[in-house]
Amino acid sequence: MGTSFSWALFVLSLFALSAFGNADTSPGLMMDFYKESCPQAEDIIREQVKLLYKRHKNTAFSWLRNIFHDCAVQSCDASLLLDSTRKTLSEKETDRSFGMRNFRYIEDIKDAVERECPGVVSCSDVLVLSARDGIVALGGPYIPLKTGRRDGRRSRAEVVEHYLPDHNESISSVLDKFAAMGIDTPGVVALLGAHSVGRTHCVKLVHRLYPEVDPALNPDHVPHVLKKCYDPIPDPKAVQYVRNDRGTPMKLDNNYYRNIMDNKGLLQVDHQLAHDPRTRPYVKKMAKSQDYFFEHFGRAIGLLSENNPLTGDQGEIRRHCNVANKRNADE
């Protein structure tokens, strides 16, 4: 009996080793990941964001959009920033990245960090922390975010459409895609509050204006939108756009929710958000309370930033954010 018992323990120990021996024992994401390896990293990123925002106000919109487009597509791994290669298309060049810009300034921030701590801080952490600090620049809340991400080696362009919620999709599809990232309904409503800032190119709006104006649009708002989007077939390269929020276009605030309840939302998803029975109660709460909006916005950004990151020995620390390190450049 003793021999059988010992053998059973031996078999169990082998099973445990086979099951867990290859597990990633790295600590993963954590607050102040660079406290020892690059203690100035977050301060450098913060100061660079402030400097760039002072020179180019629209950079903060870009930082905020970056975190959505990168982290929502399978992993928060800075795959968005990679240029196209002979074998792969860049996510930046897909239709879903239309209007995205200022990627070169991410490189400026990365260069500033590299001068202090070469080869230590990932592009994915630069992307996430620049979004955090961009949110503050726009008047939004400071959101404590974990760091320790590593960079992916390849573009995920082929799956962008599958993972990234689209403004023309049904609200059910949008909710489902965010739910797969662990973000609940109030979190989705809060994240879409990012439409409080920035602008929408007329290319994304003309289907609501021509050949007939969408009756769901507030008739008092229509003349302004038509003035900005006067061409039913706008030139994608032309500066033809409408500010998402005419009242406070440079401020991340809860005015967005009052606008969409008044049928002034520019995108189809904005209209759905205000009227779908699953989301409307949260829209009303956020329209009444900016604190409530910020609470759920901060929580949702945190969840988004932790979507399936690469950590430990996974991925790499890119030297330049637009290209994988040389040994992986053709992967």
Side-chain angles (χ1 to χ4, degrees):
M1 182 174 178
T3 303
S4 299
F5 181 72
S6 298
W7 177 253
L9 284 177
F10 178 70
V11 172
L12 284 172
S13 66
L14 285 179
F15 174 78
L17 285 172
S18 65
F20 302 109
N22 295 324
D24 184 2
T25 57
S26 69
L29 300 184
M30 62 174 65
M31 293 294 179
D32 298 319
F33 179 86
Y34 301 107
K35 185 177 181 180
E36 301 296 332
S37 59
C38 189
Q40 299 301 315
E42 295 199 25
D43 288 337
I44 292 170
I45 293 169
R46 185 178 300 110
E47 290 306 311
Q48 286 292 311
V49 166
K50 287 180 180 178
L51 178 64
L52 288 164
Y53 181 70
K54 186 175 181 180
R55 294 176 180 171
H56 315 281
K57 297 295 185 185
N58 63 17
T59 55
F61 310 147
S62 300
W63 309 149
L64 185 51
R65 194 174 175 191
N66 284 347
I67 196 171
F68 286 102
H69 281 252
D70 185 60
C71 295
V73 182
Q74 284 192 314
S75 174
C76 218
D77 65 350
S79 60
L80 171 70
L81 304 178
L82 290 169
D83 290 341
S84 292
T85 69
R86 295 189 307 274
K87 297 180 180 179
T88 61
L89 176 70
S90 169
E91 292 172 40
K92 295 181 288 188
E93 296 183 29
T94 64
D95 290 342
R96 296 298 300 280
S97 294
F98 175 80
M100 295 188 73
R101 51 187 178 160
N102 293 324
F103 293 112
R104 66 187 182 278
Y105 296 130
I106 285 282
E107 205 66 56
D108 289 346
I109 299 172
K110 171 67 169 173
D111 287 346
V113 177
E114 283 290 305
R115 287 193 291 271
E116 178 73 17
C117 311
V120 174
V121 180
S122 67
C123 294
S124 46
D125 276 340
V126 169
L127 182 150
V128 165
L129 294 177
S130 63
R132 180 191 69 184
D133 296 331
I135 287 167
V136 173
L138 292 168
Y142 175 81
I143 307 167
L145 295 177
K146 296 176 181 179
T147 44
R149 296 165 192 79
R150 288 172 65 85
D151 301 322
R153 299 185 176 108
R154 58 182 294 275
S155 165
R156 301 177 187 273
E158 73 279 3
V159 296
V160 166
E161 290 289 344
H162 179 73
Y163 287 96
L164 193 65
D166 183 66
H167 64 90
N168 279 326
E169 289 180 324
S170 70
I171 195 66
S172 292
S173 177
V174 172
L175 290 173
D176 287 345
K177 286 184 176 180
F178 278 114
M181 295 178 249
I183 300 173
D184 60 14
T185 300
V188 175
V189 175
L191 283 178
L192 288 175
H195 291 173
S196 166
V197 294
R199 59 193 188 180
T200 298
H201 198 285
C202 293
V203 165
K204 303 293 185 179
L205 298 177
V206 288
H207 66 284
R208 300 193 72 191
L209 301 173
Y210 303 97
E212 296 180 352
V213 173
D214 184 345
L217 283 170
N218 186 316
D220 294 334
H221 195 49
V222 169
H224 170 73
V225 180
L226 284 172
K227 182 179 179 181
K228 296 291 184 179
C229 300
Y230 50 84
D231 188 346
I233 308 177
D235 180 356
K237 297 181 180 180
V239 183
Q240 297 179 17
Y241 61 85
V242 183
R243 290 286 183 189
N244 289 339
D245 179 357
R246 294 178 68 189
T248 54
M250 302 294 292
K251 188 175 181 182
L252 181 67
D253 59 17
N254 65 335
N255 202 42
Y256 164 77
Y257 301 101
R258 291 189 284 269
N259 283 338
I260 64 174
M261 288 179 67
D262 197 24
N263 294 322
K264 293 180 180 178
L266 298 177
L267 300 172
Q268 192 63 43
V269 71
D270 299 328
H271 178 75
Q272 293 183 71
L273 199 71
H275 295 280
D276 190 279
R278 292 166 292 182
T279 53
R280 183 173 174 81
Y282 300 109
V283 170
K284 293 172 72 174
K285 288 181 180 180
M286 292 180 195
K288 290 179 180 179
S289 172
Q290 183 145 289
D291 287 342
Y292 182 80
F293 163 44
F294 282 174
E295 173 191 347
H296 286 281
F297 184 79
R299 181 176 59 84
I301 287 288
L303 290 168
L304 182 66
S305 76
E306 295 177 21
N307 184 37
N308 195 30
L310 303 179
T311 60
D313 295 330
Q314 299 172 314
E316 65 184 16
I317 304 296
R318 286 184 219 146
R319 293 287 180 166
H320 301 284
C321 293
N322 66 323
V323 61
N325 293 340
K326 190 174 182 180
R327 64 189 177 87
N328 302 309
D330 293 327
E331 288 187 4

